[in-house]
Structures are given as structure tokens and as C-alpha cells.
Amino acid sequence: MNVVILAAGMGKRMRSDLPKVLHLLAGKPLLSHVLETARKLPSSRLFVVYGYGGEQVPGSLPAADVTFVRQEPQLGTGHAVMQAASRLDNAMPTLVLYGDVPLIATATLQRLVHSAEADKLALLTTHLRDPAGYGRIVREGEKILRVVEEKDASANERAITEVNTGILIAPTVLLKQWLHRLSNRNAQQEYYLTDIVAQASADGISIVSAQPDSEWEVLGVNSKGQLAELERRYQRHLADTLMEAGVSLADPARIDVRGTLQCGRDVYIDVNCVFEGEVVLGDGVSVGPNCYMRDTRVDAQAEIRPFCHIDGAAIGAGALIGPYARLRPGSSLGESVHIGNFVEVKNSHINAYSKANHLAYVGDAVVGSQVNIGAGAITCNYDGANKHQTVIEDGAFIGTNCELVAPVRVGSGATIGAGTTLTKDAPPGSLTISRGKQTTINHWKRPAKKE
């Protein structure tokens, strides 16, 4: 089918220079959500009608399978579809979606498509307790006669609770005829796409309707308040889905998933955690409060303590991370590794049972198993131009306040004494230490502050 996504509006109530469809919901632009859903429909040709913000929309969401069509000026939804009309394949029906209605479900659209059959106009409608702002569905018995926009509706018509979501599918040949006959004689002086419903009725075309599974699927975004409300509705839906799958959430109202979160059995997630990209939590994983995780895999029985920032990491089974730890991209931790408070790891592989329990930096390193890295120890991996690797072999002990100046290797079972600046390889099984001579100056006085 042809799929036309209307995304040209300014969104005045958003009070932003950013086109409305580029505002984020669950970490992705509103329009991205609609495109992802449309791609799940069979054999779809995708068209996005953009306008406000110039090239920001196609520039932000380039895609080989999307044809972008500019609407300038913006003269209503009917006018927007007109801009794409010449490109639509007459042999296929045309589905119209909206870039600011981000959470429409594939199953709902499939139901709408099925109801249209081959020759009907099908509208997606729903009943709202408060239909303010929506066009009303005017029926005679069960028969749909027309859609009236709220600003043009009578008092009786405004009392109707069945509303038009704007989403529809129509035979393309008929749609083009109806678009050609649209008029802008209305309160907004715009070409309403909804006016094709009255034309279809007058032409004797069957008009049918389908309904979404959930009201929030068809809610649009016109203000920052509505965006925030839809965010919470969506996040609660994700939270309910997680709990139905067996995940324990300390508070389902205080979790944000901005991508995909895959959980094993008996996973526990505390409050105020944010998950971005693709995150996988294995069986029995526990995540403490106020943690951020992005594109990360955590294996079974690992514990992530509070206030950790984890990005692009792989964490082994039984590992203990945090509190206040930071794992940066390329961090790979083996079984039962301990990364403690105020420890940062970047682009490093740390093997099983090794520990860096506090105040350390491990960057561009390969760390063996059963290694102890003391407080204040750092790998000096950057020379101002290039990164260099540190290798710490199995069983090594790195004392407190050590600097390992890469490239450098610490041999198996070696001990690096506290306060050492290591600039050469340390041999295995030995103590390596470098310190300045301790000196005491008697009768020394601190400078006094000048008046």
C-alpha cells in the first residue's frame, strides 16, 4: 500500500523552533515511531510530507525507503496529501498516518486495512470522554455520513463522543478524485482531508470504521504537556508488559525505557532507572535506584548498585557494580568482577574475579583474572595524541595511587607498590616500586598571609 505520513505542521503550542514531529518520546522522534510502525505493514511505499522547519525533518531522519515531499505553504491536511498524490500508485490503496500520533499499533492498522477491503473508505475512530479538539463522526444510524471539525460543528455535533483520529485508508484512484474536489470554505480556510468522507458518502462509497485497542494509541501531541502525558502513558504500558513477563519493579511509574529492554526471570529494577538503546538483563539481575544503562548486556545474578552509569558494556555473571560506577563503551567484565564506587572503566576487558573497588580509572586495558586494583590507581592511556594499552596479567596486585603509563605490561603475580609511577614493564612475581625519597625539613614554617 501507499503510506502517507503527514509531518508538516509547526506545532505552535510546542513553543519550539524544532518541528513538532522531531520532539522525542521514549528517546526517539515522534515521526520515528510512526515510520517504524509503517515499516511493519506489508509492501508499503512510504511518503513523508514535511514543511515547517525546512529540511530539518528529512535531514534528521534520512532513509532510503522514504520519499520526502515538501508542503509549502501549509494549507491543511487535505492540501498535505495533495502534495504526494502524483506519486501514489493507483493500483494500491493509500493509508494516511500522522507524524504526531506516535503510538499507533501495527495490529490496529492491520484491522483498519482489513475493514477497508478493496473498495471502501475506512476511518479509524474512537470514543473519548472528552472529545474537545477532535473532529466528530456524524452518523445516520450506523451509517457514517461525514466528519465535522470542532470549529465548524453545531452544539449537537460537539456533543458527539465518537471522534475521527484522522487515520484512514482509501482506494487511491477515488482518493485523488476527492482531493481534487476539496474546498477551503471553512473557519480555518484550510483544505480538510476529513471532507473526503462527505464526498465518499455522496458518491455512494461504503464508509466503514475500525477502533484501536487502547485510547492512547491515537492520542496526538500538540503541546509539551501532552507530550509528557503520552510519555507516561507509554512508559506505564511498557512497565505493565515487563511485570506481566515476571520483572519486579519497585515502582512502575518510575522507569523509563527509551529503546528495548529484555529481561530474564526474577529481575528486579528499583526506581528512577533509565534504559536506552538495547539493554539485556539476565536471570536474577538486580538494578539499584537511579541507574542509567545504554546498549548493555548484564549476565545472570549480577548486581548493579545505585547511581551507576553504564554505556556500551558487557557485564559477566555474578558481577558487582557500584555504587557510583561508570562503565564506558567497550567495557567487558568477566564473571564476578567487582567495580566499586567512583571507578571508571573504558574500552577494557577485565577477566573473572578481578576487583577495582574504589577511586580508580581503567582505560584501554586488558586485565587478567584475580587482579586487585587499589584506590587511586589509574592507567595513563593517552599521550595527548594517541591511546595506548596497558596489560595486567593474572594475579597482579596494583597498590594505591599508582600510575601505569601505557604502553606497559604488569606480569603475572607482580605487585606494584603504592605510589609507583610505572613507565617500564614490571616482571612477573616481583615487587616493583618507584618513589621519591621521603624528606623531613625541621623548623620549617608555613608562609603567613600578608595583610
Side-chain angles (χ1 to χ4, degrees):
M1 69 189 75
N2 306 299
V3 179
V4 179
I5 303 172
L6 306 189
M10 174 181 180
K12 292 180 181 179
R13 291 165 56 193
M14 299 296 285
R15 298 186 182 277
S16 173
D17 293 333
L18 188 69
K20 180 169 61 171
V21 296
L22 296 184
H23 285 267
L24 302 183
L25 185 141
K28 294 184 295 188
L30 300 175
L31 180 56
S32 288
H33 288 271
V34 185
L35 285 169
E36 287 180 9
T37 300
R39 289 187 177 106
K40 296 175 184 176
L41 299 172
S43 303
S44 297
R45 300 178 66 228
L46 305 179
F47 300 87
V48 171
V49 181
Y50 70 101
Y52 177 74
E55 299 303 311
Q56 288 187 69
V57 171
S60 299
L61 298 169
D65 63 339
V66 177
T67 300
F68 288 92
V69 182
R70 185 158 184 169
Q71 181 192 19
E72 188 65 42
Q74 290 91 55
L75 300 177
T77 53
H79 181 258
V81 179
M82 291 177 195
Q83 309 314 301
S86 64
R87 302 169 186 249
L88 303 179
D89 188 337
N90 289 342
M92 302 188 291
T94 295
L95 173 68
V96 178
L97 303 176
Y98 292 80
D100 61 355
V101 181
L103 300 182
I104 187 66
T106 304
T108 294
L109 295 180
Q110 289 171 335
R111 188 159 55 248
L112 179 68
V113 171
H114 179 73
S115 68
E117 298 178 353
D119 57 353
K120 298 176 182 178
L121 170 62
L123 310 179
L124 190 67
T125 72
T126 190
H127 288 270
L128 298 177
R129 289 187 297 273
D130 179 11
Y134 286 86
R136 309 304 204 275
I137 300 295
V138 179
R139 292 178 182 262
E140 183 178 19
E142 292 299 312
K143 183 180 180 181
I144 296 176
L145 297 180
R146 60 192 175 92
V147 176
V148 60
E149 296 299 324
E150 185 171 64
K151 291 183 179 181
D152 302 306
S154 66
N156 288 338
E157 289 169 337
R158 285 196 293 271
I160 296 170
T161 60
E162 185 182 14
V163 302
N164 176 46
T165 67
I167 295 172
L168 60 83
I169 184 167
T172 300
V173 172
L174 293 176
L175 176 63
K176 290 180 179 180
Q177 293 174 9
W178 296 330
L179 290 172
H180 184 70
R181 287 159 27 197
L182 286 180
S183 167
N184 66 346
R185 292 191 296 273
N186 51 60
Q188 294 285 88
Q189 293 187 319
E190 292 184 348
Y191 296 91
Y192 293 150
L193 181 62
T194 49
D195 286 349
I196 71 170
V197 178
Q199 293 189 45
S201 179
D203 290 346
I205 301 299
S206 295
I207 306 170
V208 296
S209 63
Q211 287 71 44
D213 292 324
S214 302
E215 175 189 307
W216 53 262
E217 284 186 44
V218 296
L219 294 179
V221 174
N222 293 300
S223 68
K224 296 289 178 63
Q226 289 178 347
L227 179 61
E229 180 182 351
L230 198 58
E231 178 80 47
R232 294 327 316 157
R233 284 175 179 252
Y234 179 61
Q235 293 297 339
R236 182 55 196 246
H237 168 70
L238 294 178
D240 289 342
T241 302
L242 288 169
M243 291 189 292
E244 289 171 5
V247 178
S248 296
L249 301 179
D251 184 349
R254 288 190 284 171
I255 182 174
D256 280 84
V257 179
R258 301 168 186 170
T260 60
L261 175 59
Q262 179 181 336
C263 297
R265 297 176 65 85
D266 299 313
V267 169
Y268 175 78
I269 300 173
D270 215 320
V271 300
N272 300 329
C273 292
V274 177
F275 302 91
E276 292 191 353
E278 297 182 8
V279 177
V280 178
L281 305 180
D283 295 345
V285 167
S286 173
V287 181
N290 302 296
C291 289
Y292 170 88
M293 302 179 71
R294 178 177 181 271
D295 291 332
T296 290
R297 189 193 77 244
V298 183
D299 290 341
Q301 308 303 323
E303 179 182 355
I304 312 299
R305 290 179 170 175
F307 295 98
C308 289
H309 187 286
I310 302 172
D311 182 4
I315 299 171
L320 181 60
I321 310 299
Y324 295 99
R326 184 182 183 195
L327 305 182
R328 292 168 58 191
S331 299
S332 175
L333 312 183
E335 179 184 357
S336 298
V337 166
H338 288 190
I339 300 296
N341 48 288
F342 305 106
V343 174
E344 180 179 356
V345 180
K346 189 272 293 187
N347 192 33
S348 296
H349 180 70
I350 301 178
N351 283 286
Y353 302 102
S354 291
K355 300 178 181 180
N357 277 327
H358 32 241
L359 302 165
Y361 171 66
V362 182
D364 296 291
V366 176
V367 179
S369 62
Q370 296 184 319
V371 170
N372 186 86
I373 298 175
I378 65 170
T379 58
C380 305
N381 56 323
Y382 184 49
D383 64 8
N386 300 296
K387 302 291 180 66
H388 302 278
Q389 188 178 73
T390 298
V391 177
I392 304 172
E393 296 180 354
D394 295 349
F397 181 95
I398 311 299
T400 59
N401 293 321
C402 287
E403 299 168 332
L404 309 182
V405 183
V408 72
R409 177 180 292 268
V410 177
S412 176
T415 297
I416 308 301
T420 293
T421 298
L422 191 71
T423 58
K424 298 178 181 179
D425 291 354
S430 301
L431 170 65
T432 299
I433 187 168
S434 66
R435 296 178 186 160
K437 182 179 179 181
Q438 182 170 314
T439 302
T440 299
I441 301 175
N442 296 316
H443 310 300
W444 178 82
K445 293 183 179 180
R446 291 180 182 173
K449 186 176 181 179
K450 295 180 179 180
E451 296 295 335

